[in-house]
Amino acid sequence: MALIVEKYGGTSVADVDRINAVADKVSSAKRAGDDLVVVVSAMSGETNRLLTLADQIHPQAAAREVDVLLSTGEQVTIALLAMALNARGCSARSYTGGQVRIRTDAVHGRARIVDIDAARVRRDLDKGRVVVVAGFQGVDDDGNITTLGRGGSDTTAVAMAAALKASECRIYSDVEGVFTADPRIVPEARRLDRITVEEMLELASLGAKVLQTRSVEFAGKFRVPLRVLSSFKEGPGTLISYEEELMEQPLISGIAFNRDEAKLTICGVPDEPGIAYRILGPISDAHINVDMIIQNVSADNLTDVTFTVHRDDYVQSEKILRDVAAEVGARGVVGADNIAKISVVGVGMRSHAGIATTMFKTLSADSINIQLISTSEIKISVVIEDKYLELAVRALHSAFGLQIAETKKSSESLTAREPDAVDGGNKA
Ligand code: ADP
Ligand code: ASP
Ligand code: MG
């Protein structure tokens, strides 16, 4: 008998029909002999609806109260699913995050799970019950309700699976697995049978919202057997793999994008030791996360420093930067929030040249200007104007041959297309 943790996202529990469909699926798995813990999200759109309500009452509402409000979304779906299971003669009990003792730190809105009281869940499982757990929420040491950040039900599920040493954690969504790109943007995107955990981590953190980044980190740390599947359609889904190298390693596994960033440039700052610290120190003191950072070559001992932040932090960052500019005697501050970041990800990049060249050539063929570039061992990201996002993602998807099944794709064909590698390591 296997213990399986299943997670159903918002679209999978969007209405009574969908909840009944989930209950059918869960009760037949239970009848087949598996032990089941089921984590659910709020009905789709509900978390946004609650956020809008809060905003209408008080735009700067205390984060603690926002968490109390948001956690109600998942409380509705756990109760309805438990009722639907009981109606099928499948004994079930629902629990909020606090009841099942998902203990978190006290950072409201993006709390981290500290531990889970697995013994409580086991007592119910031993009695033959299905345990239904509210995703996205926990409780801090003072008993305050916390939430784990948007998409956090994925993390609840993976953390439950780790705590219970489940045989598998299955994330059910409205897509049939992890695709080579968001299938909503690229219709010819292809489902991957497997993806390595490090590629999944990059894709998630670079914008592919099919799994919350934190859930992939958790899975990697505890080696949780993790699969992404559709709750609408039968199929094998995508398995997250922990093997260092898969047998047939594609060069590029996927493309991710996000429109959540904004960029800021401080122009004409003295190029001297400590300047990066003087510019970025106050930004980090304000708890603003910085993503890409680029410092230009200096002319006449003056340089420009550009960095990106989350769009929500744009206005505050600009204000901080203007103060810094006045202090260090910089020429000025410019910024833009009409940008998008596109990233190609693949562990095959480590051993193949030509990826960056293909990327830049493809964008230039469509006359898309690259504003910023950053790389890591297994990814290359570029920032472009956001109006070109869809065009760029589709063009790159086809340039890297991602729509073609891996077995048919020869890695030579790609390197052969890009013999003009310059310096910059394998990626160029
Ligand atoms: P849920 O509500 O079930 O948690 P999400 O909306 O959070 O579902 O995540 C699923 C969505 O992720 C899909 O509808 C799809 O548009 C998007 N997505 C983005 N990138 C990818 C990708 N590479 N593969 C699959 N889905 C992706
Ligand atoms: N309901 C939460 C959200 O919309 C958590 C989740 O669905 O994973 O972000
Ligand atoms: Mg999600």
Side-chain angles (χ1 to χ4, degrees):
M1 196 164 58
L3 168 57
I4 311 290
V5 174
E6 296 189 339
K7 176 258 170 175
Y8 292 90
T11 46
S12 306
V13 293
D15 53 34
V16 168
D17 287 347
R18 291 301 311 155
I19 292 175
N20 278 323
V22 169
D24 286 338
K25 220 170 151 60
V26 172
S27 56
S28 53
K30 176 72 191 158
R31 270 197 302 276
D34 285 340
D35 274 340
L36 284 137
V37 173
V38 184
V39 174
V40 285
S41 292
M43 292 178 174
S44 69
E46 178 62 5
T47 308
N48 287 340
R49 188 185 74 86
L50 294 169
L51 279 171
T52 308
L53 283 180
D55 203 46
Q56 285 167 357
I57 297 279
H58 185 5
Q60 272 88 45
R64 180 189 183 279
E65 304 314 323
V66 174
D67 277 357
V68 173
L69 179 69
L70 293 191
S71 67
T72 62
E74 273 74 8
Q75 192 167 341
V76 170
T77 46
I78 52 168
L80 293 175
L81 180 59
M83 289 173 198
L85 287 167
N86 289 332
R88 282 158 180 75
C90 175
S91 171
R93 276 201 172 175
S94 66
Y95 293 99
T96 64
Q99 287 175 321
V100 85
R101 293 222 74 77
I102 297 178
R103 213 159 56 76
T104 72
D105 63 20
V107 185
H108 289 288
R110 50 188 166 89
R112 285 182 170 270
I113 296 176
V114 178
D115 66 49
I116 294 178
D117 184 357
R120 281 185 188 225
V121 179
R122 286 211 185 277
R123 279 200 288 276
D124 273 315
L125 293 175
D126 291 345
K127 290 188 178 127
R129 293 179 183 135
V130 171
V131 178
V132 183
V133 177
F136 175 59
Q137 55 181 263
V139 64
D140 74 8
D141 283 344
D142 294 326
N144 298 301
I145 295 172
T146 54
T147 65
L148 312 179
R150 298 307 301 269
S153 300
D154 297 334
T155 302
T156 306
V158 176
M160 289 297 297
L164 292 162
K165 301 191 173 52
S167 309
E168 192 162 87
C169 179
R170 298 180 187 154
I171 306 288
Y172 287 97
S173 184
D174 57 356
V175 277
E176 285 167 65
V178 180
F179 281 63
T180 47
D182 186 342
R184 285 178 210 250
I185 302 291
V186 185
E188 60 276 16
R190 190 171 43 83
R191 179 184 58 82
L192 298 162
D193 287 326
R194 290 163 158 251
I195 184 165
T196 67
V197 70
E198 48 178 337
E199 287 171 315
M200 192 62 240
L201 194 55
E202 290 278 12
L203 284 178
S205 67
L206 294 165
K209 68 169 185 163
V210 60
L211 285 176
Q212 197 200 32
T213 310
R214 205 75 79 62
S215 73
V216 188
E217 282 170 7
F218 235 108
K221 187 165 171 197
F222 296 100
R223 298 232 156 189
V224 175
L226 180 60
R227 195 181 284 278
V228 178
L229 313 108
S230 164
S231 67
F232 293 79
K233 216 170 155 185
E234 288 295 318
T238 301
L239 183 71
I240 311 305
S241 159
Y242 299 101
E243 287 164 39
E244 286 288 293
E245 294 292 338
L246 297 178
M247 287 292 280
E248 278 218 45
Q249 194 53 65
L251 219 44
I252 300 298
S253 287
I255 300 178
F257 59 84
N258 89 48
R259 297 175 223 233
D260 299 335
E261 291 187 24
K263 68 165 187 176
L264 287 149
T265 302
I266 179 165
C267 313
V269 287
D271 192 5
E272 60 196 25
I275 198 68
Y277 173 64
R278 287 185 72 185
I279 294 168
L280 294 166
I283 299 282
S284 111
D285 290 346
H287 303 287
I288 295 170
N289 282 330
V290 170
D291 179 23
M292 300 162 114
I293 306 170
I294 278 118
Q295 179 175 342
N296 287 343
V297 288
S298 60
D300 300 327
N301 224 32
L302 293 178
T303 185
D304 299 339
V305 177
T306 300
F307 57 91
T308 62
V309 294
H310 195 279
R311 262 185 212 197
D312 294 348
D313 296 323
Y314 178 52
V315 174
Q316 195 192 352
S317 305
E318 194 183 17
K319 196 173 159 298
I320 295 171
L321 209 54
R322 287 199 189 284
D323 293 343
V324 172
E327 247 171 59
V328 302
R331 214 168 34 228
V333 171
V334 288
D337 64 357
N338 61 336
I339 60 165
K341 182 170 79 175
I342 302 183
S343 311
V344 298
V345 172
V347 293
M349 226 179 257
R350 284 192 182 122
S351 50
H352 281 80
I355 309 294
T357 315
T358 301
M359 191 171 188
F360 303 156
K361 194 155 92 183
T362 306
L363 296 173
S364 99
D366 279 317
S367 305
I368 298 170
N369 186 41
I370 299 172
Q371 303 179 11
L372 301 168
I373 302 168
S374 86
T375 67
S376 76
E377 214 188 349
I378 65 162
K379 72 118 202 284
I380 305 171
S381 303
V382 295
V383 164
I384 59 168
E385 194 177 341
D386 60 359
K387 69 178 181 193
Y388 297 118
L389 175 72
E390 299 192 0
L391 172 66
V393 174
R394 288 183 192 136
L396 290 168
H397 195 271
S398 124
F400 286 108
L402 292 179
Q403 71 283 8
I404 306 161
E406 273 148 41
T407 45
K408 290 195 210 131
K409 199 167 53 184
S410 123
S411 56
E412 280 88 56
S413 68
L414 197 82
T415 28
R417 243 187 286 153
E418 296 304 332
D420 48 344
V422 283
D423 59 3
N426 274 330
K427 288 194 196 74

